[in-house]
Amino acid sequence: MRIATSVLAGVSLALALGQPTLAQSQRNSAGVDIGAVCPAGFASAGQSIASLPVVAWTDHVPAAPGFGFTTRANVNIPAGAGDLILTLTRPAANGGNTQQQFRQQITGQGLSAFAFHFESADEMVPGAWQLVAEVGSVRVYNATITVYTPAVGDALVASCQ
């Protein structure tokens, strides 16, 4: 499994990245853009997560090999507040849930970006995946991604071929 997180500090940098407009994005109520990424989008080594090519702004992502999703959120963390802790809770292949945590260093305002890339069968478990970002006990943002088993001829998967 390839999971990555990064934070880009500075308002001007976040604006320069060309965040999608509300009409283009699947922005949730916490102000998080959620998008599906084709397998080829993860192929560039050293590519910033914030610049991963999104094939569709959607919170419904097919559980297909190499596919994945990205989330992007503008954050404003007071100086000295500590690192942003991202907790990903997802269904486990053998039932129940599994959790993973990631840390992003925060320096005021900037873009928090996260990506998940499906590489193995135990990662392609359909269901509701939750990403929660917190500083200490304060929730900064959250996102729910619905991972689904694609049918033959799934339009999103086909758009990547």
Side-chain angles (χ1 to χ4, degrees):
M1 121 180 83
R2 194 175 332 165
I3 301 172
T5 60
S6 71
V7 97
L8 304 172
V11 175
S12 60
L13 181 56
L15 294 174
L17 289 172
Q19 287 296 296
T21 65
L22 189 56
Q24 294 173 310
S25 70
Q26 176 70 39
R27 184 164 290 166
N28 74 8
S29 60
V32 181
D33 291 314
I34 304 166
V37 179
C38 293
F42 289 102
S44 243
Q47 180 176 18
S48 123
I49 294 164
S51 65
L52 282 175
V54 173
V55 67
W57 292 105
T58 179
D59 59 0
H60 284 68
V61 179
F67 229 90
F69 63 87
T70 186
T71 62
R72 300 171 188 167
N74 288 313
V75 297
N76 184 7
I77 307 299
D83 292 342
L84 183 68
I85 303 298
L86 298 157
T87 303
L88 179 66
T89 303
R90 62 182 180 87
N94 59 354
N97 290 317
T98 187
Q99 276 191 344
Q100 295 167 281
Q101 285 193 330
F102 310 92
R103 183 177 304 269
Q104 292 181 344
Q105 292 192 349
I106 297 298
T107 55
Q109 294 180 331
L111 178 69
S112 171
F114 176 86
F116 190 95
H117 179 218
F118 303 121
E119 290 186 356
S120 63
D122 68 315
E123 295 172 347
M124 291 182 268
V125 180
W129 292 41
Q130 298 289 325
L131 180 67
V132 177
E134 297 173 305
V135 173
S137 62
V138 176
R139 183 174 288 190
V140 178
Y141 68 86
N142 64 290
T144 301
I145 300 92
T146 300
V147 175
Y148 67 91
T149 302
V152 174
D154 181 87
L156 198 51
V157 173
S159 70
C160 293
Q161 298 171 346

